[in-house]
Amino acid sequence: MNKDNQTDQIILEAARRVFQRSGYGGARMQEIANEAGINKASLHYYYRSKEKLFQTVYRQDIKVFLVPLVGILRDPFLTLEVRMRTFVGSYIKTLLKNPGLPLFIMQELSSNPGRLISLVEDHVPGVRSRSADEEESPMLAVFIGQIRNGMDDGSCNKVDPEQFILSMISMCVFPFVGRPLIRLLLKKGEQEYRDFLARREEEINEYLHRILFRNHQPIDGPRY
Amino acid sequence: MNKDNQTDQIILEAARRVFQRSGYGGARMQEIANEAGINKASLHYYYRSKEKLFQTVYRQDIKVFLVPLVGILRDPFLTLEVRMRTFVGSYIKTLLKNPGLPLFIMQELSSNPGRLISLVEDHVPGVRSRSADEEESPMLAVFIGQIRNGMDDGSCNKVDPEQFILSMISMCVFPFVGRPLIRLLLKKGEQEYRDFLARREEEINEYLHRILFRNHQPIDGPRY
DNA sequence: CTTTGGTTTAACTATTTAGTTTAAAACAAT
DNA sequence: ATTGTTTTAAACTAAATAGTTAAACCAAAG
């Protein structure tokens, strides 16, 4: 009986676009229906309510956004250098495919923390726990440990590990969050800005090396 | 006749909080009235419509957010090193006072670029112009020129100036945009995170020096 | 071809929300 | 006190929007 139906997927993608553009409060069910090319009643047929539809979308988006991030940050088998490279590379690529993701996630998390924190926790086990035997962010324990070791054995410059990690994340994510403003500032067209972001991966890696590694020799080459 | 009235200011601040929390679409006039401790009718007495109230708030916020940024970026009298220091210092301080600002601005800019680009341009003259005699972002021409000079005379390492400037902005702004998520990741309380951000200024300065200046010696000192 | 069950649609209802009206209270100046 | 103006509050209206219903549609099974 089941029509080989992608309708629910079409709806989900349409809803994602609209929610990302306008947020939960600003999104209209009618607009989502139009975007999906269906009737508004069908929307309620597939997803009981706006809230339900939103949660489905948001859950997926959190997963896409957070799972790779957290996975790489606390993978116990990566060296410090590879961890950084992998993080930057995988993150820029994820975000190039989903440019609207981070702003959307931050938006909703900020307007309704209570309702959504639990969703975050589903995908990032251990965010809440702060048990006595773990002195600090267990999420980042390995990463921070590697940086501390590097500072002790002289291979790393002095940094506050948390500030360093936050800087790494900032350099990757902010260009997407601040896209419209930065595009205005740099006077770049849509495609031009995409290229700019694609080139950004290696530039960030170079910066992070200059910050962290004592023996790193800044690359040379043709001036930009 | 005029009661020495702060009511319109109280309304404006209440509206700012609600708009920053929920965005234009998600904000409710009733909620703003409650937040200001007045009746909804008084809201319309002071500000004719939601749109009008929003524009007043948004205009001010863009000013607070952009004017110092742009001012420092293109001040013709600052040296490269002072420009960077001043930018980071003044920006972190501005944002500590208005933590919700950047997310709010990005949000609305993304959901309604057309309506707002013109507001941005009011405060940032020259954003639109791309005349033939200006080869690139005139907004950043001086800053970029200084970096190029530094690379030519050997005092600066090789960077893409635009990527470098974007990194500087990212490190300053993202910790505020991503606040809820980063707080979760670092497991910091509200006050703890504020302190963390206050310490961030000098850490960013150090990072930027390591990236850009050829002869910079990484500071030493007690491990974090 | 007709029954059956999921799917789609147009029209409808209920609720929320921006904005208005009106009248009373508060206030300032005389 | 008196008067005229500004401000406030409650109740109201109009519009927008989430959600429902019931009938039509359609594809597969009998």
Side-chain angles (χ1 to χ4, degrees), chain B residues 199-210:
Chain B
R199 285 198 306 276
R200 189 161 172 76
E201 179 185 338
E202 55 176 332
E203 189 89 3
I204 294 180
N205 273 314
E206 173 68 20
Y207 292 175
L208 292 176
H209 277 69
R210 288 183 197 171

Side-chain angles (χ1 to χ4, degrees), chain B residues 32-196:
Chain B
I32 296 176
N34 294 344
E35 184 96 15
I38 60 163
N39 190 285
K40 183 159 69 86
S42 298
L43 224 57
H44 285 90
Y45 177 77
Y46 283 95
Y47 297 90
R48 192 167 285 94
S49 68
K50 186 182 182 184
E51 178 71 24
K52 182 76 175 28
L53 181 55
F54 175 79
Q55 290 228 7
T56 308
V57 168
Y58 199 74
R59 216 182 203 95
Q60 290 183 352
D61 278 358
I62 280 187
K63 193 168 180 179
V64 171
F65 184 72
L66 283 187
V67 168
L69 177 131
V70 171
I72 296 167
L73 284 180
R74 64 175 173 188
D75 183 327
F77 299 113
L78 298 175
T79 64
L80 176 54
E81 207 264 346
V82 171
R83 189 185 306 279
M84 285 160 47
R85 275 194 146 37
T86 311
F87 181 91
V88 174
S90 118
Y91 232 60
I92 299 265
K93 283 181 192 80
T94 298
L95 294 179
L96 277 173
K97 278 181 226 135
N98 306 280
L101 216 57
L103 183 56
F104 173 55
I105 289 181
M106 305 303 169
Q107 233 175 81
E108 298 304 325
L109 205 55
S110 135
S111 61
N112 207 332
R115 168 165 126 235
L116 300 173
I117 294 283
S118 58
L119 280 185
V120 175
E121 283 166 344
D122 290 350
H123 294 294
V124 187
V127 192
R128 177 165 271 162
S129 76
R130 207 179 187 176
S131 43
D133 56 335
E134 307 177 294
E135 297 194 7
E136 68 202 348
S137 1
M139 178 107 303
L140 299 176
V142 182
F143 198 169
I144 291 178
Q146 288 178 320
I147 296 175
R148 289 238 169 81
N149 287 342
M151 292 194 284
D152 288 344
D153 71 22
S155 63
C156 288
N157 292 313
K158 186 191 160 204
V159 295
D160 176 333
E162 290 183 331
Q163 299 272 7
F164 177 76
I165 293 170
L166 176 53
S167 301
M168 179 180 75
I169 299 175
S170 301
M171 287 194 272
C172 294
V173 179
F174 183 73
F176 294 89
V177 175
R179 185 171 203 136
L181 216 52
I182 302 296
R183 275 190 48 205
L184 222 58
L185 196 69
L186 301 181
K187 295 191 191 303
K188 291 198 186 295
E190 193 53 59
Q191 183 55 46
E192 205 181 348
Y193 193 66
R194 284 186 73 85
D195 297 344
F196 178 72

Side-chain angles (χ1 to χ4, degrees), chain A residues 73-92:
Chain A
L73 284 180
R74 63 174 175 190
D75 183 327
F77 300 112
L78 297 175
T79 64
L80 176 55
E81 207 266 344
V82 171
R83 190 185 306 278
M84 286 160 46
R85 274 193 145 40
T86 311
F87 181 92
V88 174
S90 118
Y91 233 60
I92 299 266

Side-chain angles (χ1 to χ4, degrees), chain A residues 150-168:
Chain A
M151 292 194 285
D152 287 344
D153 71 22
S155 64
C156 288
N157 293 314
K158 184 191 160 206
V159 295
D160 175 334
E162 290 184 331
Q163 298 273 6
F164 176 76
I165 293 170
L166 176 53
S167 301
M168 179 180 75

